[in-house]
Amino acid sequence: MRSKEKNLFNKISSVYALFFKWQMRNYKSILDKAKNDIDLSIHQKVIDVGCGTGALCSVLDEYGFEVTGIEPAEKMIEIARNKASKKIEFVQGNVLHGLPFEDKSFDMAVSSSVAHGLKARERLMMYKEMRRVSRHSVVLIDYNEKRSLIINVAEWLEGGDYFNFIKNVKDELKKQFGAIKLINTGKWSSTYICKISEE
């Protein structure tokens, strides 16, 4: 995340906080739809990259995982620490600067609604870092190719790479991970499940 985006997310963190419980319900629904394909039984330690206010971390905690959330925006981390379980570790950091963890520190690396806001080369950096710290799988929850006018306008205003992301995400992930599993888990969202093969 660049400093411009970090400042934006610091400014709108209180708005995100208002939707914390709704986000939790949404993530529960998504994980319920995807849990058989993710094979949650082999995962114990999970990292949420770009965790925001910690809603996904909270749901993962309820599933019984040992959860770490990492987020560059200070205000988002502050809200996460106030709203989420004290068992969850929240770290301020930026995936684009490298995650401050050893290789294979987690069983699964997840990220929600982060990739579409990054440029193509930044997404590649993110995928590589998530792969580096994960033993079994990398899971992205993000937009699919279905579009709405409101999303188009909001993402254009945000200035991310949404339009290229939805056009190229499947190819980008296949190049990085090989085969991927895609599950439509919402009207405009999909869960992209990338298995990490033993090397």
Side-chain angles (χ1 to χ4, degrees), residues 108-120:
M108 177 171 64
V110 301
S111 185
S112 177
S113 300
V114 174
H116 74 266
L118 302 176
K119 302 298 182 191

Side-chain angles (χ1 to χ4, degrees), residues 181-196:
K181 175 88 174 180
L182 187 150
I183 304 168
N184 285 324
T185 44
K187 189 172 183 180
W188 295 296
S189 67
S190 289
T191 298
Y192 304 86
I193 303 165
C194 310
K195 301 289 184 186
I196 297 174

Side-chain angles (χ1 to χ4, degrees), residues 3 6 9 13 48 74 103 156 158 174 178-179 196-197:
S3 59
K6 180 179 166 184
F9 282 101
S13 60
D48 179 4
E74 302 93 341
D103 293 358
W156 177 76
E158 187 182 289
K174 282 177 185 173
I196 297 174
S197 58

Side-chain angles (χ1 to χ4, degrees), residues 104-156:
K104 310 298 181 195
S105 294
F106 301 91
D107 298 309
M108 177 171 64
V110 301
S111 185
S112 177
S113 300
V114 174
H116 74 266
L118 302 176
K119 302 298 182 191
R121 69 175 181 77
E122 295 171 330
R123 288 195 297 274
L124 181 60
M125 291 166 65
M126 181 175 123
Y127 304 151
K128 285 183 175 179
E129 271 300 279
M130 291 177 75
R131 180 181 181 134
R132 181 184 68 77
V133 300
S134 178
R135 294 183 192 96
H136 299 300
S137 54
V138 168
V139 176
L140 300 179
I141 302 166
D142 217 308
Y143 289 121
N144 59 29
E145 56 277 338
K146 294 180 183 172
R147 310 210 337 225
S148 74
L149 180 60
I150 292 172
I151 291 172
N152 284 349
V153 170
E155 294 304 326
W156 177 76

Side-chain angles (χ1 to χ4, degrees), residues 3-184:
S3 59
K4 175 184 167 187
E5 285 79 14
K6 180 179 166 184
N7 291 336
L8 171 65
F9 282 101
N10 274 325
K11 286 179 184 173
I12 63 175
S13 60
S14 57
V15 175
Y16 270 75
L18 297 174
F19 295 96
F20 186 84
K21 288 186 179 176
W22 177 87
Q23 285 182 310
M24 281 190 67
R25 286 192 300 273
N26 186 49
Y27 287 132
K28 283 178 188 174
S29 173
I30 288 169
L31 286 179
D32 283 344
K33 290 175 187 174
K35 65 184 175 186
N36 292 333
D37 294 287
I38 297 174
D39 187 8
L40 299 177
S41 65
I42 64 170
H43 301 96
Q44 182 179 358
K45 292 183 69 174
V46 180
I47 183 169
D48 179 4
V49 176
C51 67
T53 58
L56 178 54
C57 289
S58 295
V59 173
L60 293 166
D61 174 65
E62 287 184 3
Y63 269 78
F65 298 118
E66 183 182 331
V67 184
T68 299
I70 188 162
E71 165 66 38
E74 302 93 341
K75 297 288 185 185
M76 291 283 200
I77 286 285
E78 187 178 306
I79 291 167
R81 288 181 176 141
N82 287 327
K83 285 191 167 285
S85 165
K86 301 303 177 203
K87 293 186 294 180
I88 301 169
E89 180 184 6
F90 289 104
V91 177
Q92 187 183 352
N94 190 331
V95 68
L96 300 181
H97 299 156
L99 294 171
F101 305 102
E102 304 269 331
D103 293 358
K104 310 298 181 195
S105 294
F106 301 91
D107 298 309
M108 177 171 64
V110 301
S111 185
S112 177
S113 300
V114 174
H116 74 266
L118 302 176
K119 302 298 182 191
R121 69 175 181 77
E122 295 171 330
R123 288 195 297 274
L124 181 60
M125 291 166 65
M126 181 175 123
Y127 304 151
K128 285 183 175 179
E129 271 300 279
M130 291 177 75
R131 180 181 181 134
R132 181 184 68 77
V133 300
S134 178
R135 294 183 192 96
H136 299 300
S137 54
V138 168
V139 176
L140 300 179
I141 302 166
D142 217 308
Y143 289 121
N144 59 29
E145 56 277 338
K146 294 180 183 172
R147 310 210 337 225
S148 74
L149 180 60
I150 292 172
I151 291 172
N152 284 349
V153 170
E155 294 304 326
W156 177 76
L157 289 171
E158 187 182 289
D161 201 34
Y162 161 71
F163 300 102
N164 285 319
F165 169 79
I166 57 176
K167 180 179 174 184
N168 299 312
V169 61
K170 288 184 259 187
D171 288 337
E172 289 175 354
L173 292 174
K174 282 177 185 173
K175 283 179 185 172
Q176 185 65 35
F177 297 97
I180 65 165
K181 175 88 174 180
L182 187 150
I183 304 168
N184 285 324

